[in-house]
Amino acid sequence: MQPLFEQYRPKSWNDVIAQEKIIARIDQLRRRGLAGRAYWLSGQSGTGKTTIALLLAHEVADPFNVVEVDASELTSAAVRDLERSLQTRGLGERSGRAVVINESHGLRRDTVRQLLVTLERLPSHVIFVFTTTCEGEAALFEGCEDSHPLLSRCIVLPLSRRDLAKPFAERARMIAQAEGLDGRPLSDYVKLLQTHRNNFRAAIQAIEGGCMIADCAT
Protein backbone atom coordinates (compact mmCIF):
# COMPACT_ATOMS: atom_id res chain seq x y z
CA MET A 1 0.00 0.00 0.00
CA GLN A 2 1.24 3.48 -0.84
CA PRO A 3 2.09 5.88 2.00
CA LEU A 4 -0.64 8.39 2.76
CA PHE A 5 1.13 11.34 1.18
CA GLU A 6 1.15 9.43 -2.13
CA GLN A 7 -2.43 8.21 -1.77
CA TYR A 8 -3.61 11.77 -1.24
CA ARG A 9 -1.34 13.49 -3.74
CA PRO A 10 -3.52 15.98 -5.69
CA LYS A 11 -4.79 14.58 -8.98
CA SER A 12 -6.08 17.92 -10.32
CA TRP A 13 -5.27 21.62 -10.02
CA ASN A 14 -8.36 22.10 -7.84
CA ASP A 15 -6.81 19.81 -5.23
CA VAL A 16 -3.60 21.84 -4.91
CA ILE A 17 -3.65 24.02 -1.81
CA ALA A 18 -1.92 27.29 -0.85
CA GLN A 19 -0.26 27.78 -4.25
CA GLU A 20 -2.79 30.02 -5.96
CA LYS A 21 -0.21 32.36 -7.49
CA ILE A 22 1.70 29.66 -9.31
CA ILE A 23 -1.53 28.05 -10.53
CA ALA A 24 -2.68 31.43 -11.88
CA ARG A 25 0.61 31.81 -13.76
CA ILE A 26 0.28 28.33 -15.23
CA ASP A 27 -3.27 29.16 -16.29
CA GLN A 28 -1.97 32.19 -18.18
CA LEU A 29 0.75 30.08 -19.83
CA ARG A 30 -1.82 27.46 -20.80
CA ARG A 31 -3.55 29.99 -23.04
CA ARG A 32 -0.36 30.29 -25.10
CA GLY A 33 0.46 26.60 -24.93
CA LEU A 34 2.44 24.74 -22.29
CA ALA A 35 4.46 22.48 -24.59
CA GLY A 36 7.75 23.37 -26.23
CA ARG A 37 9.00 24.91 -22.96
CA ALA A 38 11.02 24.10 -19.87
CA TYR A 39 9.86 24.98 -16.36
CA TRP A 40 11.86 25.47 -13.18
CA LEU A 41 9.96 24.90 -9.91
CA SER A 42 11.67 25.88 -6.67
CA GLY A 43 10.31 25.80 -3.15
CA GLN A 44 10.63 24.43 0.34
CA SER A 45 10.59 20.67 0.83
CA GLY A 46 7.12 19.18 0.99
CA THR A 47 5.23 22.20 -0.39
CA GLY A 48 4.08 20.67 -3.69
CA LYS A 49 6.90 20.89 -6.24
CA THR A 50 6.64 17.32 -7.51
CA THR A 51 2.84 17.44 -7.48
CA ILE A 52 2.77 20.59 -9.60
CA ALA A 53 5.48 19.19 -11.89
CA LEU A 54 3.43 16.04 -12.54
CA LEU A 55 0.24 18.02 -13.11
CA LEU A 56 2.12 20.17 -15.63
CA ALA A 57 3.50 17.08 -17.35
CA HIS A 58 0.05 15.48 -17.56
CA GLU A 59 -1.36 18.61 -19.20
CA VAL A 60 0.80 17.74 -22.20
CA ALA A 61 1.36 13.98 -22.04
CA ASP A 62 -0.45 10.82 -21.02
CA PRO A 63 1.10 9.13 -17.95
CA PHE A 64 2.99 6.53 -20.00
CA ASN A 65 4.67 9.36 -21.94
CA VAL A 66 6.00 11.05 -18.79
CA VAL A 67 9.58 10.28 -17.77
CA GLU A 68 10.42 11.07 -14.13
CA VAL A 69 14.09 10.95 -13.11
CA ASP A 70 16.29 12.01 -10.21
CA ALA A 71 18.86 14.60 -11.24
CA SER A 72 21.74 12.81 -9.51
CA GLU A 73 21.21 9.79 -11.78
CA LEU A 74 21.08 11.82 -14.99
CA THR A 75 24.21 11.76 -17.14
CA SER A 76 24.96 13.72 -20.30
CA ALA A 77 24.62 10.47 -22.28
CA ALA A 78 21.20 9.87 -20.73
CA VAL A 79 20.10 13.38 -21.74
CA ARG A 80 21.16 12.68 -25.33
CA ASP A 81 19.21 9.40 -25.27
CA LEU A 82 16.19 11.22 -23.87
CA GLU A 83 16.40 13.84 -26.58
CA ARG A 84 16.35 11.18 -29.29
CA SER A 85 13.35 9.44 -27.71
CA LEU A 86 11.40 12.70 -27.54
CA GLN A 87 11.53 13.48 -31.25
CA THR A 88 8.34 11.58 -32.07
CA ARG A 89 4.96 12.39 -30.58
CA GLY A 90 3.43 10.04 -28.07
CA LEU A 91 0.47 7.78 -28.64
CA GLY A 92 -2.70 8.39 -26.67
CA GLU A 93 -5.20 11.11 -25.94
CA ARG A 94 -2.40 13.64 -25.38
CA SER A 95 0.31 13.34 -27.99
CA GLY A 96 2.98 15.25 -26.11
CA ARG A 97 5.92 13.99 -24.08
CA ALA A 98 7.21 15.22 -20.73
CA VAL A 99 10.35 14.89 -18.65
CA VAL A 100 10.30 15.65 -14.91
CA ILE A 101 13.73 16.06 -13.31
CA ASN A 102 13.46 16.01 -9.53
CA GLU A 103 16.07 17.28 -7.05
CA SER A 104 17.65 19.34 -9.83
CA HIS A 105 20.27 20.77 -7.46
CA GLY A 106 21.94 17.35 -7.92
CA LEU A 107 22.66 17.94 -11.62
CA ARG A 108 26.26 17.33 -12.67
CA ARG A 109 28.10 20.00 -14.63
CA ASP A 110 28.47 17.87 -17.76
CA THR A 111 24.74 17.11 -17.57
CA VAL A 112 23.95 20.82 -17.29
CA ARG A 113 26.01 21.54 -20.40
CA GLN A 114 24.13 18.86 -22.35
CA LEU A 115 20.78 20.18 -21.11
CA LEU A 116 21.67 23.63 -22.44
CA VAL A 117 21.88 22.13 -25.91
CA THR A 118 18.78 19.96 -25.52
CA LEU A 119 16.58 22.81 -24.30
CA GLU A 120 17.65 25.01 -27.20
CA ARG A 121 16.06 22.58 -29.65
CA LEU A 122 13.10 21.35 -27.65
CA PRO A 123 10.34 19.94 -29.91
CA SER A 124 7.01 21.76 -29.80
CA HIS A 125 5.26 18.74 -28.23
CA VAL A 126 7.73 18.31 -25.32
CA ILE A 127 8.10 19.89 -21.90
CA PHE A 128 10.86 19.60 -19.33
CA VAL A 129 10.03 20.31 -15.68
CA PHE A 130 12.80 20.75 -13.11
CA THR A 131 12.15 20.73 -9.36
CA THR A 132 14.51 21.84 -6.61
CA THR A 133 14.55 23.21 -3.10
CA CYS A 134 15.32 26.88 -2.55
CA GLU A 135 18.53 25.96 -0.76
CA GLY A 136 19.51 23.52 -3.49
CA GLU A 137 18.90 26.10 -6.19
CA ALA A 138 21.22 28.59 -4.45
CA ALA A 139 23.94 25.94 -4.09
CA LEU A 140 23.65 24.81 -7.71
CA PHE A 141 24.07 28.27 -9.15
CA GLU A 142 26.79 29.44 -6.79
CA GLY A 143 30.14 29.24 -8.57
CA CYS A 144 28.75 27.17 -11.45
CA GLU A 145 28.98 29.17 -14.63
CA ASP A 146 26.98 26.65 -16.65
CA SER A 147 23.90 26.75 -14.44
CA HIS A 148 22.78 30.33 -15.01
CA PRO A 149 22.18 29.75 -18.74
CA LEU A 150 20.13 26.70 -17.75
CA LEU A 151 17.85 28.82 -15.61
CA SER A 152 17.50 31.37 -18.41
CA ARG A 153 16.14 28.62 -20.67
CA CYS A 154 13.31 27.90 -18.25
CA ILE A 155 10.14 29.60 -17.11
CA VAL A 156 10.84 30.07 -13.42
CA LEU A 157 7.92 29.27 -11.11
CA PRO A 158 8.75 29.75 -7.42
CA LEU A 159 6.31 28.17 -4.99
CA SER A 160 4.81 30.23 -2.19
CA ARG A 161 6.64 30.04 1.14
CA ARG A 162 4.20 32.08 3.24
CA ASP A 163 0.86 31.38 4.90
CA LEU A 164 1.11 27.64 4.37
CA ALA A 165 0.64 26.28 7.89
CA LYS A 166 -3.13 26.73 8.26
CA PRO A 167 -4.27 25.47 4.81
CA PHE A 168 -1.81 22.57 5.06
CA ALA A 169 -3.09 21.81 8.57
CA GLU A 170 -6.72 21.81 7.38
CA ARG A 171 -5.89 19.35 4.59
CA ALA A 172 -3.80 17.20 6.94
CA ARG A 173 -6.66 17.01 9.44
CA MET A 174 -9.09 16.02 6.69
CA ILE A 175 -6.76 13.17 5.70
CA ALA A 176 -6.34 12.11 9.34
CA GLN A 177 -10.11 12.04 9.81
CA ALA A 178 -10.60 10.00 6.65
CA GLU A 179 -8.03 7.47 7.85
CA GLY A 180 -9.20 7.25 11.47
CA LEU A 181 -6.02 8.90 12.74
CA ASP A 182 -7.54 12.09 14.13
CA GLY A 183 -8.20 13.05 17.70
CA ARG A 184 -6.84 16.55 18.09
CA PRO A 185 -7.95 20.13 17.39
CA LEU A 186 -6.88 22.05 14.30
CA SER A 187 -4.44 24.12 16.38
CA ASP A 188 -2.38 20.98 17.00
CA TYR A 189 -2.17 20.36 13.26
CA VAL A 190 -0.96 23.92 12.74
CA LYS A 191 1.73 23.32 15.36
CA LEU A 192 2.66 20.08 13.63
CA LEU A 193 3.14 21.88 10.32
CA GLN A 194 5.17 24.60 12.00
CA THR A 195 7.35 21.96 13.66
CA HIS A 196 8.01 20.43 10.24
CA ARG A 197 8.62 23.87 8.63
CA ASN A 198 5.48 23.50 6.49
CA ASN A 199 6.69 20.25 4.99
CA PHE A 200 3.31 18.68 4.23
CA ARG A 201 4.81 15.32 3.31
CA ALA A 202 6.67 15.08 6.64
CA ALA A 203 3.54 16.08 8.56
CA ILE A 204 1.44 13.41 6.82
CA GLN A 205 4.08 10.79 7.60
CA ALA A 206 3.96 11.83 11.25
CA ILE A 207 0.15 11.56 11.22
CA GLU A 208 0.40 8.12 9.60
CA GLY A 209 2.65 7.17 12.52
CA GLY A 210 -0.18 8.06 14.91
CA CYS A 211 0.98 11.40 16.32
CA MET A 212 -2.50 12.96 16.08
CA ILE A 213 -4.37 10.17 17.82
CA ALA A 214 -5.89 11.56 21.01
CA ASP A 215 -3.89 9.57 23.54
CA CYS A 216 -0.51 10.12 21.81
CA ALA A 217 1.89 12.78 23.00
CA THR A 218 3.00 15.44 20.54
Side-chain angles (χ1 to χ4, degrees), residues 60-61 65 85-91 95-99 125-127:
V60 171
N65 288 321
S85 71
L86 297 171
Q87 296 307 306
T88 58
R89 290 182 173 271
L91 300 175
S95 62
R97 294 185 183 272
V99 178
H125 61 277
V126 173
I127 66 169

Side-chain angles (χ1 to χ4, degrees), residues 41-53:
L41 305 179
S42 62
Q44 294 172 276
S45 293
T47 55
K49 297 183 300 297
T50 299
T51 291
I52 292 172

Side-chain angles (χ1 to χ4, degrees), residues 18 53 58 60 62 71 77 95 115-116 121 124 129 135 170 212-213:
H58 293 150
V60 171
D62 284 341
S95 62
L115 282 166
L116 296 180
R121 53 196 186 201
S124 61
V129 189
E135 297 81 5
E170 290 170 344
M212 286 291 117
I213 296 174

